[in-house]
Amino acid sequence: MYSQGLIGADGRTEESPEFLAAFQARIDAEEKIEPNDEMPEGYRRTLVRQIGQHAHSEIVGMLPEGNWITRAPSLRRKATLLAKVQDEGGHGLYLYAAAETLGVSREEMTEELLSGKAKYSSIFNYPTLSWADIGTIGWLVDGAAIMNQIPLCRCSFGPYARAMIRVCKEESFHQRQGYEIVMTLARGTPEQKAMAQDSLNRWWWPSIMMFGPHDADSQHSDQSMAWKIKRFTNDELRQKFIDATVPQAEFLGLTIPDPDLKWNEEKGGYDHGPIDWSEFWRVVKGHGPMARDRIKARKKAWDDGAWVREAALAHADKRRARKMAAE
Amino acid sequence: MTGEVPLWEVFIRPRNGLAHRHVGSLHAADEVMALQAARDVYTRRGEGNSIWVVPSKAITASDPDQAAENFEPGEKIYRHPTFYDIPEEVGHM
């Protein structure tokens, strides 16, 4: 809601100490912040960046999976994959709409994605080499996304929280269908099981990197926690994800590719081996194996769709003119 | 980028007897395309049987900060039934 009136509007606020304290008091009282409310410029900027990146991730996330739609091994799998990719497109839309309530336009966000200015989740810069990857993405990548997104349903910014509630409802099917694919392969022929293991080997580390840098190195974390945009730190979420996922892998008879992974009785969770952050930053900065292809594909979709957008607007104009003439 | 596509607000009635409820927004060139997009985006899992689309710019919003001034609910307790004393013997009223 809250409309195009806001787009391009000056979002600056008078940031006196009293204003900031009153804003923080609203946050501390668990009040939701709505688009027309006054808010610190930093709060607005953080949300525009985060929701925008989140939306771009949903849209770019359709590409690695779209790669397998025509080659899904059965009609059931194909119908499921189509439905899942359609959901991701919808999730992108809910999120873009939430960001638009903060005064940024869809066109600006699209332009930032296509020009490479805006980031999206680095996980989508890895290729989907086998059918097993479609299962692993659902199980691990959507699983990690759910860990991230469930606390976002309680985010202090109303439109983002409401969008996330919708997204989370739909996301559960994504993870379950993924696990079912991996389970089918793990219980199949030795070759199929090897395919599942190979896929887990490739996706495990990128998946646990999805939670972002360690807390000590995360530049946006403290303020986002104080503003209740984030509810848990990167490391807390990563820990929850690992603890939930290790037994799921054991059930499948698959091995998580981390020789240092072991149960820590004292903390009641798993300890994991060191994460290769140089790879993470390389991929975030656009050197992932698929980064160029992803943006190229989005550009092509945008450019090839130009005539559709123009035709739709022209058609709408024509209908409006006809209606006016008839009145 | 030229030709911004207008924004619409989408309202859905889950079933007859309930009110339409705001579910989200979308961009579309006109109301026909907005309805089609709303159906694709917001009713993929049988969320409703009736869809409204309204141009976002047609909505005029009040300022939540002024809500107290509008209604002064605390000062008008005589609007509530419990403000009036009715003897027990009269029974439920």
Side-chain angles (χ1 to χ4, degrees):
Chain A
M1 179 135 204
Y2 321 105
S3 80
Q4 271 177 330
L6 265 172
I7 288 171
D10 188 346
R12 268 179 302 189
T13 39
E14 182 78 6
E15 299 195 3
S16 62
E18 295 77 31
F19 168 74
L20 290 174
F23 183 78
Q24 190 61 48
R26 290 189 64 191
I27 300 275
D28 293 342
E30 296 290 335
E31 259 185 63
K32 292 280 182 224
I33 307 301
E34 295 294 341
N36 287 347
D37 297 351
E38 284 190 318
M39 60 186 87
E41 189 48 30
Y43 181 83
R44 181 187 301 275
R45 265 202 316 272
T46 302
L47 280 166
V48 166
R49 194 190 60 235
Q50 180 172 335
I51 303 173
Q53 283 180 12
H54 198 159
H56 298 324
S57 300
E58 300 284 354
I59 297 300
V60 176
M62 293 194 281
L63 298 170
E65 298 192 304
N67 182 33
W68 280 92
I69 289 176
T70 56
R71 292 172 288 159
S74 68
L75 187 56
R76 179 177 185 267
R77 296 289 189 214
K78 184 184 290 216
T80 299
L81 189 53
L82 271 169
K84 179 177 192 296
V85 171
Q86 192 190 15
D87 274 357
E88 309 295 5
H91 297 176
L93 175 84
Y94 311 154
L95 287 159
Y96 281 130
E100 281 176 89
T101 68
L102 289 162
V104 61
S105 75
R106 174 77 66 86
E107 284 78 4
E108 286 171 70
M109 286 187 279
T110 304
E111 203 161 64
E112 287 196 345
L113 173 65
L114 299 184
S115 72
K117 192 178 163 217
K119 301 268 184 285
Y120 54 87
S121 183
S122 56
I123 194 83
F124 301 119
N125 283 336
Y126 292 89
T128 40
L129 302 177
S130 74
W131 169 251
D133 290 358
I134 297 306
T136 311
I137 286 179
W139 172 32
L140 298 183
V141 176
D142 288 304
I146 291 171
M147 278 296 169
N148 253 321
Q149 288 169 346
I150 285 179
L152 285 173
C153 296
R154 294 189 295 128
C155 165
S156 62
F157 186 58
Y160 195 21
R162 292 192 285 275
M164 291 323 300
I165 291 170
R166 264 194 94 77
V167 168
C168 284
K169 265 191 205 160
E170 299 180 356
E171 203 78 60
S172 160
F173 129 62
H174 298 180
Q175 192 185 17
R176 289 172 65 107
Q177 65 85 36
Y179 193 75
E180 194 196 73
I181 290 173
V182 181
M183 190 166 61
T184 306
L185 291 170
R187 290 175 176 174
T189 63
E191 289 82 1
Q192 287 172 321
K193 186 166 182 184
M195 189 195 272
Q197 182 64 54
D198 165 68
S199 178
L200 176 58
N201 292 348
R202 284 181 289 110
W203 289 92
W204 173 253
W205 291 103
S207 297
I208 67 168
M209 288 181 206
M210 280 176 70
F211 296 96
H214 286 306
D215 297 347
D217 309 318
S218 176
Q219 53 177 1
H220 304 299
S221 244
D222 291 347
Q223 186 60 71
S224 286
M225 294 281 283
W227 277 335
K228 300 196 177 177
I229 294 171
K230 280 178 80 157
R231 297 275 177 169
F232 296 97
T233 69
N234 296 352
D235 285 331
E236 284 168 347
L237 290 168
R238 185 166 17 245
Q239 186 68 52
K240 276 172 186 263
F241 174 73
I242 293 173
D243 293 345
T245 308
V246 171
Q248 294 166 356
E250 281 169 358
F251 179 83
L252 297 174
L254 299 178
T255 310
I256 289 184
D258 177 359
D260 298 325
L261 189 76
K262 59 172 183 297
W263 179 254
N264 180 332
E265 192 62 52
E266 218 170 288
K267 77 170 180 186
Y270 287 89
D271 290 332
H272 62 81
I275 296 172
D276 179 4
W277 291 110
S278 65
E279 171 177 325
F280 175 77
W281 290 114
R282 220 167 31 244
V283 178
V284 167
K285 289 184 178 132
H287 301 294
M290 298 300 285
R292 283 158 61 102
D293 280 46
R294 299 295 184 235
I295 293 301
K296 213 166 87 188
R298 288 312 309 154
K299 268 207 182 100
K300 183 175 185 312
W302 179 256
D303 293 342
D304 289 355
W307 73 269
V308 180
R309 294 189 298 276
E310 283 160 23
L313 284 169
H315 178 70
D317 280 344
K318 197 172 77 183
R319 283 189 55 238
R320 221 175 352 257
R322 264 198 210 134
K323 209 170 149 193
M324 296 247 289
E327 274 167 10
Chain B
M1 292 180 195
T2 54
E4 290 198 3
V5 181
L7 190 64
W8 300 76
E9 301 305 325
V10 182
F11 299 81
I12 290 189
R13 185 175 64 207
R15 54 180 194 276
N16 285 4
L18 297 179
H20 284 78
R21 190 164 167 226
H22 183 245
V23 293
S25 327
L26 51 80
H27 290 270
D30 68 9
E31 66 278 12
V32 177
M33 288 179 257
L35 263 184
Q36 285 166 349
R39 185 200 62 193
D40 289 348
V41 175
Y42 291 107
T43 62
R44 290 199 300 280
R45 289 173 173 80
E47 285 90 338
N49 63 5
S50 167
I51 305 172
W52 286 352
V53 290
V54 180
S56 302
K57 62 173 192 284
I59 291 176
T60 308
S62 72
D63 178 355
D65 283 347
Q66 315 230 314
E69 290 163 42
N70 291 350
F71 308 112
E72 300 179 59
E75 289 169 28
K76 293 183 180 174
I77 50 173
Y78 48 83
R79 286 183 185 277
H80 296 280
T82 49
F83 179 74
Y84 303 93
D85 292 325
I86 303 290
E88 287 277 331
E89 304 87 279
V90 178
H92 179 73
M93 185 181 280

